[in-house]
Each structure stands twice: as structure tokens, then as C-alpha cells.
Amino acid sequence: SPNGPAFVAGIEGTGSFGLDMCAAHTCVTVSGGYSPGRSAQTLDRIYGPGMTQPAAYFDIIAVGPKGQYTIDRDILIARRTGEDVAQRTADAWVKSLQDE
């Protein structure tokens, strides 16, 4: 663990399943993928037996030019609620097209 502040960036799926970053305490996700397993592995990197502080998780969600939500929001909601991501995103696109 570093003696002072440090920032480490990565892409979901890089490293290995055993990668231990529990010296960190904050995880910021900018864009999530479709795989619940990869998402869980990403979030678990800062969680473990060597933790010294509570873990904090933040998700950055992009919005369109008029403030409209993007597909990233639906992916995040589906992952958090245990829904099938493909079905939720397909339903969101169908609803959007019907609303037009």
C-alpha cells in the first residue's frame, strides 16, 4: 500500500481475478459492461480482508445533449436490480421508439 494518496485507473476485465486493491477505499465506475461477473469483480477489487476504511462506490452516468439519459443508465439499473441487461436495454429502446 502506498504511503500517500494514489490513483489507479483500469478497464473492466484488466488484471486478474486475484487483483487486491483493498488499500484503496473508493471505486469510480465510468462505464459498465454487460457482464454481471465482470462488474462484481471490478467492485470487489477494493473490498477484502486488508481493508482499513469503509468502501465507497460511485457510478458516472453520461447524459445526452438535452439532459436525456443514455443506455449506460439502464445497464447500471439492471445490474443493481438483478435484471437481465439485454432485456432491459431492449425494452428501453422499444419504449423510446414508441414515444417518438
Side-chain angles (χ1 to χ4, degrees):
S1 133
N3 292 329
F7 172 83
V8 177
I11 299 170
E12 188 177 271
T14 59
S16 67
F17 283 106
L19 195 57
D20 181 358
M21 295 184 176
C22 63
H25 56 84
T26 305
C27 178
V28 179
T29 305
V30 177
S31 182
Y34 292 94
S35 169
R38 280 186 154 186
S39 175
Q41 284 295 320
T42 298
L43 300 177
D44 282 348
R45 292 310 95 219
I46 66 168
Y47 184 82
M51 291 175 58
T52 59
Q53 298 182 41
Y57 298 93
F58 300 93
D59 293 295
I60 307 297
I61 302 295
V63 295
K66 296 180 183 174
Q68 67 270 40
Y69 292 118
T70 62
I71 200 69
D72 280 349
R73 177 178 178 266
D74 282 312
I75 293 170
L76 178 64
I77 291 170
R79 286 192 342 217
R80 287 186 175 173
T81 60
E83 293 178 67
D84 179 80
V85 175
Q87 186 61 53
R88 181 175 178 89
T89 54
D91 291 347
W93 282 111
V94 169
K95 183 180 181 321
S96 177
L97 291 171
Q98 288 172 340
D99 289 348
E100 284 184 11

